[in-house]
Amino acid sequence: GDQFLPRELDKFIADFLFPALSLSAPCLQIHDALWETITKFSVNRRYELYALWEDAYYDDEKPIMLLARRGAEKKADVIAKRTTADAYSNDDIPMFLKYLRHACVRLGMTNPIQLFQALLNRVRQPNTDNLIAPYTKHLETMPPLGIDVLVYCASSLQLAEKADQLARPERMKILRNYADFIGNLFKEHISMDLQPLIASVTSNLTRNPEAVDRIYIEKLLEHGAGMPLVKSMN
């Protein structure tokens, strides 16, 4: 169990293995070996490791990680902005789209935090709900470690949204897009651990039953479980 894994292992992973992954070329064998190790950790402990990994990108004492972050952000921005709503509308996928999809998976294997932050930030923009389907298609072959980091990024953004002073309709639109994206992705990766994301939403609803976060749960059920709701949840 998690309690039998020494805390020294966390430091080794956060200080060496994750940064090494960020700086190396994509390698599925290394990626899977690392995932096999951290799946023995509880989800809260995994998210602590992801938070340390994210912090390392902003550590002035690690200039090589700063360079890795900037390079990854540029690549993620290209993927997010060059993907169009009708990207997969034809059976014959154009070569540039195959390149974008391949680049998306490769970036998600080395610097997933920058990739998923770019995609989630793009989805929160006005009139971008039609990008959810092509983004989901891009991530069909993403390995499990990358998908776990995606849920971490979604949970972090969800918590950050609570601090924003957004108008209610705008907040509802953002939450609906987030939930549509995560719910549709869940259909492709049913091993996704959504517990932290749902826990953060339900915790907020417990404190404030009228919160618009209810739309998040509704859309996760509708798109993730394939269960359209016939009446409003209370």
Side-chain angles (χ1 to χ4, degrees):
D2 183 70
Q3 68 273 22
F4 297 108
L5 297 171
R7 278 291 173 176
E8 289 79 4
L9 185 58
D10 298 45
K11 181 173 176 57
F12 178 71
I13 292 174
D15 288 351
F16 297 101
L17 295 187
F18 278 159
L21 190 67
S22 299
L23 300 171
S24 64
C27 177
L28 186 59
Q29 288 79 9
I30 295 175
H31 192 277
D32 289 348
L34 186 54
W35 174 243
E36 185 178 351
T37 300
I38 65 174
T39 48
K40 298 178 173 62
F41 292 10
S42 66
V43 65
N44 291 333
R45 195 165 167 184
R46 290 204 309 272
Y47 278 29
E48 290 175 7
L49 290 174
Y50 298 153
L52 292 173
W53 190 8
E54 186 174 5
D55 290 343
Y57 285 108
Y58 296 89
D59 189 346
D60 292 336
E61 296 182 358
K62 299 175 181 177
I64 195 169
M65 289 296 289
L66 297 176
L67 292 174
R69 173 174 61 84
R70 290 168 186 161
E73 286 173 347
K74 289 180 180 179
K75 292 177 182 178
D77 194 50
V78 169
I79 294 169
K81 291 183 177 179
R82 294 202 62 185
T83 300
T84 58
D86 59 349
Y88 290 95
S89 58
N90 299 321
D91 293 334
D92 186 19
I93 301 175
M95 184 60 66
F96 89 92
L97 187 59
K98 293 179 180 179
Y99 167 78
L100 277 182
R101 187 174 182 179
H102 184 61
C104 183
V105 174
R106 286 174 62 86
L107 185 59
M109 290 174 60
T110 55
N111 294 277
I113 293 174
Q114 285 71 36
L115 171 65
F116 299 134
Q117 285 178 345
L119 297 184
L120 289 166
N121 283 325
R122 180 71 170 161
V123 165
R124 69 167 286 170
Q125 302 301 318
N127 304 317
T128 55
D129 51 327
N130 53 2
L131 292 175
I132 292 172
Y135 284 169
T136 303
K137 196 77 173 175
H138 280 349
L139 300 173
E140 275 184 346
T141 57
M142 183 65 63
L145 175 57
I147 295 299
D148 201 49
V149 175
L150 168 60
V151 181
Y152 159 77
C153 292
S155 301
S156 300
L157 282 173
Q158 168 68 8
L159 292 171
E161 295 292 349
K162 294 175 183 177
D164 291 349
Q165 299 300 317
L166 298 175
R168 185 182 178 92
E170 183 182 353
R171 180 167 167 74
M172 289 184 68
K173 178 67 173 176
I174 291 172
L175 290 175
R176 185 180 290 112
N177 284 357
Y178 282 170
D180 288 357
F181 184 32
I182 300 298
N184 279 290
L185 198 59
F186 182 73
K187 294 178 183 178
E188 305 296 334
H189 302 273
I190 59 173
S191 61
M192 285 173 64
D193 190 348
L194 296 178
Q195 183 268 332
L197 183 61
I198 295 174
S200 69
V201 178
T202 53
S203 175
N204 193 46
L205 285 172
T206 301
R207 296 190 301 271
N208 181 13
E210 300 301 319
V212 296
D213 298 69
R214 175 174 53 84
I215 194 72
Y216 209 111
I217 299 295
E218 291 182 358
K219 288 297 180 180
L220 277 177
L221 283 173
E222 181 176 342
H223 292 280
M227 297 168 58
L229 302 174
V230 296
K231 63 184 295 187
S232 295
M233 293 175 62
N234 56 36

